[in-house]
Amino acid sequence: MQFPSKLIENAVMEVAKLPGIGKKTALRLVLSLLKKDAKETELLSEALLKMRTEIQYCEKCFNISDSNVCSVCSSTRRDASTICVVEDTPDVLAVENTGQYRGLYHVLGGVIAPIEGAGPHDLHIQSLIDRIEKAEEPVREVILALSPTMEGDTTAFYISKKLKGRDLQVSSIARGIPVGGELEYTDEITLGRSILSRRKYQTGS
Amino acid sequence: MQFPSKLIENAVMEVAKLPGIGKKTALRLVLSLLKKDAKETELLSEALLKMRTEIQYCEKCFNISDSNVCSVCSSTRRDASTICVVEDTPDVLAVENTGQYRGLYHVLGGVIAPIEGAGPHDLHIQSLIDRIEKAEEPVREVILALSPTMEGDTTAFYISKKLKGRDLQVSSIARGIPVGGELEYTDEITLGRSILSRRKYQTGS
């Protein structure tokens, strides 16, 4: 692809480094900025730069935060006896958006993936243990909300072993057929597990 | 959607202003910057800002340019007797990428669209006429490469009327069935026009 200007080319190349953005899309985005006031591009550039340079990680749960302790960890309205362990920030957002969870979080920063060279010590697992041991209010439950992949399962298994023998419950989010999903199109592993994990049918709830 | 941080929220809101980027995609893009070195975000911000503030428009063809005359207009290897009239910069890129055109361009900056309040005087049409009149090397052909829409056709008709009576040929890019397109799935207007605009079959070319 030829560009009419080095300035455009540089901008396109930088935008195309973002995941899922090809050169054509990048060009469309860059040219769209030209149609708008220069102020808009300023706002965009500044927001990105400010975000990247000023963002912090919560020293308790390791989620991204505007201060050294995040808004969830510092809230008095959250249930500090429950910790939900997730892989990364988008997972926190996903759980928060359900509106079903009032406890705290612990962001691992990844999963155990030996092929990519990511072991348990690259993740915030020891800090989870420390946090549980030093907690003012005793932690009664740790919910493992990891993706049902090989790496996610390995990580969940590792953490559950580490937490063994402590006076707390370790649970895992339910796996089964998604709401709105059709039985006949569900893969056999999911369907098989959902039969094994069947629950007593509850009426009127 | 709730955000764990104001910094993230601001960045997501700015990115989501770009065309075709929703909040979920914007969040994914913003978080991807956190996985990379801060230098990457700096490069991106700077490239966008520099592009937006330093970009110029060629004073001859009105395409975007790094200087006051663009690389095409200032090239001695281009055929200055032919001008290809297009709506906007991406169209110049599209024609350039075919490798089939060696003439100059003229970027209108839009099409005549009365509904959106865009009349002929909002476009670089008068400057096209001036350019043809003052050209050192006489312009022999003006190729109208506008989209085959109502607005594109109106604009082409307007320009062709303006150029009437001058010693130059006004042509329009061919419309017909796209290469690789299937006859049976072509809409009737395109197929009808392609029959009307049929050409003598050429062998060996």
Side-chain angles (χ1 to χ4, degrees):
Chain A
M1 199 187 275
Q2 287 199 358
F3 294 97
S5 130
K6 267 277 160 209
L7 293 165
I8 295 282
E9 185 170 358
N10 280 347
V12 167
M13 290 309 173
E14 288 301 328
V15 174
K17 282 185 192 167
L18 294 170
I21 307 273
K23 277 192 198 171
K24 276 212 166 181
T25 306
L27 179 66
R28 194 166 50 81
L29 298 180
V30 166
L31 291 177
S32 81
L33 290 173
L34 284 178
K35 295 269 172 210
K36 291 191 281 186
D37 200 84
K39 186 77 196 156
E40 290 292 318
T41 308
E42 250 173 65
L43 286 172
L44 172 64
S45 293
E46 274 168 22
L48 291 177
L49 205 57
K50 201 171 152 69
M51 181 278 298
R52 187 61 186 83
T53 48
E54 292 183 15
I55 202 93
Q56 296 185 48
Y57 290 87
C58 173
E59 59 190 30
K60 290 190 176 177
C61 74
F62 300 95
N63 192 13
I64 48 177
S65 168
D66 289 345
S67 49
N68 56 346
V69 176
C70 77
S71 55
V72 172
C73 285
S74 59
S75 167
T76 53
R77 300 197 299 174
R78 309 286 304 210
D79 169 17
S81 72
T82 313
I83 295 178
C84 178
V85 176
V86 295
E87 182 180 338
D88 224 331
T89 295
D91 305 322
V92 174
L93 288 174
V95 176
E96 279 296 282
N97 284 331
T98 65
Q100 300 289 326
Y101 183 67
R102 304 302 305 160
L104 304 181
Y105 293 94
H106 195 85
V107 178
L108 295 177
V111 280
I112 299 172
I115 298 168
E116 290 161 36
H121 299 290
D122 300 315
L123 308 176
H124 300 299
I125 294 178
Q126 189 53 47
S127 56
L128 173 66
I129 314 287
D130 295 349
R131 187 179 165 190
I132 291 167
E133 281 175 357
K134 290 172 192 158
E136 290 171 32
E137 191 185 331
V139 175
R140 292 211 193 83
E141 184 173 4
V142 170
I143 303 171
L144 301 172
L146 300 166
S147 297
T149 57
M150 177 82 89
E151 289 83 7
D153 287 343
T154 307
T155 312
F157 181 71
Y158 182 88
I159 295 174
S160 69
K161 262 187 70 179
K162 279 272 180 188
L163 294 176
K164 222 174 188 174
R166 280 167 216 274
D167 184 25
L168 55 79
Q169 190 187 316
V170 178
S171 56
S172 166
I173 51 169
R175 282 151 195 200
I177 299 167
V179 177
E182 292 202 46
L183 209 81
E184 91 179 272
Y185 300 122
T186 306
D187 67 286
E188 56 269 43
I189 298 174
T190 302
L191 189 54
R193 283 200 190 177
S194 82
I195 291 170
L196 290 174
S197 325
R198 67 191 176 278
R199 296 179 55 182
K200 191 168 179 292
Y201 193 76
Q202 290 172 318
T203 47
S205 73
Chain B
M1 200 187 274
Q2 287 198 2
F3 294 96
S5 131
K6 268 277 160 209
L7 293 165
I8 296 281
E9 184 171 358
N10 279 347
V12 168
M13 289 309 171
E14 288 301 327
V15 174
K17 282 185 192 168
L18 294 170
I21 308 274
K23 278 191 198 169
K24 277 212 164 181
T25 307
L27 179 66
R28 193 167 51 80
L29 297 180
V30 166
L31 292 177
S32 81
L33 290 173
L34 283 177
K35 296 267 171 214
K36 291 190 283 186
D37 200 83
K39 186 76 197 157
E40 290 292 318
T41 309
E42 249 173 65
L43 286 172
L44 172 64
S45 293
E46 274 169 23
L48 291 178
L49 205 58
K50 201 171 150 73
M51 181 278 297
R52 187 62 185 84
T53 48
E54 293 183 15
I55 202 93
Q56 297 185 48
Y57 290 88
C58 172
E59 58 189 30
K60 289 190 177 177
C61 73
F62 300 94
N63 193 13
I64 48 179
S65 167
D66 288 344
S67 48
N68 57 345
V69 177
C70 77
S71 56
V72 172
C73 284
S74 59
S75 166
T76 52
R77 297 196 303 173
R78 308 287 302 212
D79 169 17
S81 71
T82 314
I83 295 177
C84 178
V85 176
V86 295
E87 182 179 337
D88 225 330
T89 295
D91 306 322
V92 174
L93 288 174
V95 176
E96 279 296 282
N97 283 330
T98 66
Q100 298 291 326
Y101 182 67
R102 304 303 304 161
L104 304 181
Y105 292 94
H106 194 84
V107 178
L108 296 177
V111 281
I112 299 172
I115 298 169
E116 290 161 37
H121 299 290
D122 300 314
L123 308 176
H124 298 299
I125 294 178
Q126 188 53 47
S127 55
L128 172 67
I129 313 285
D130 294 348
R131 187 179 165 190
I132 291 168
E133 281 175 356
K134 289 171 193 158
E136 290 171 32
E137 191 185 331
V139 175
R140 289 210 194 83
E141 183 172 4
V142 170
I143 302 172
L144 301 172
L146 300 166
S147 297
T149 58
M150 177 83 88
E151 290 81 6
D153 286 345
T154 307
T155 312
F157 181 71
Y158 181 89
I159 295 174
S160 70
K161 261 187 71 180
K162 279 273 180 187
L163 294 175
K164 220 172 188 175
R166 280 168 215 273
D167 185 24
L168 55 80
Q169 190 186 317
V170 178
S171 56
S172 168
I173 51 168
R175 284 154 195 196
I177 299 165
V179 177
E182 291 203 47
L183 209 81
E184 91 180 272
Y185 300 120
T186 307
D187 67 288
E188 55 268 44
I189 298 174
T190 302
L191 189 54
R193 283 199 191 178
S194 82
I195 291 170
L196 290 175
S197 325
R198 66 193 178 277
R199 296 177 56 180
K200 192 167 178 293
Y201 191 77
Q202 291 173 319
T203 47
S205 72

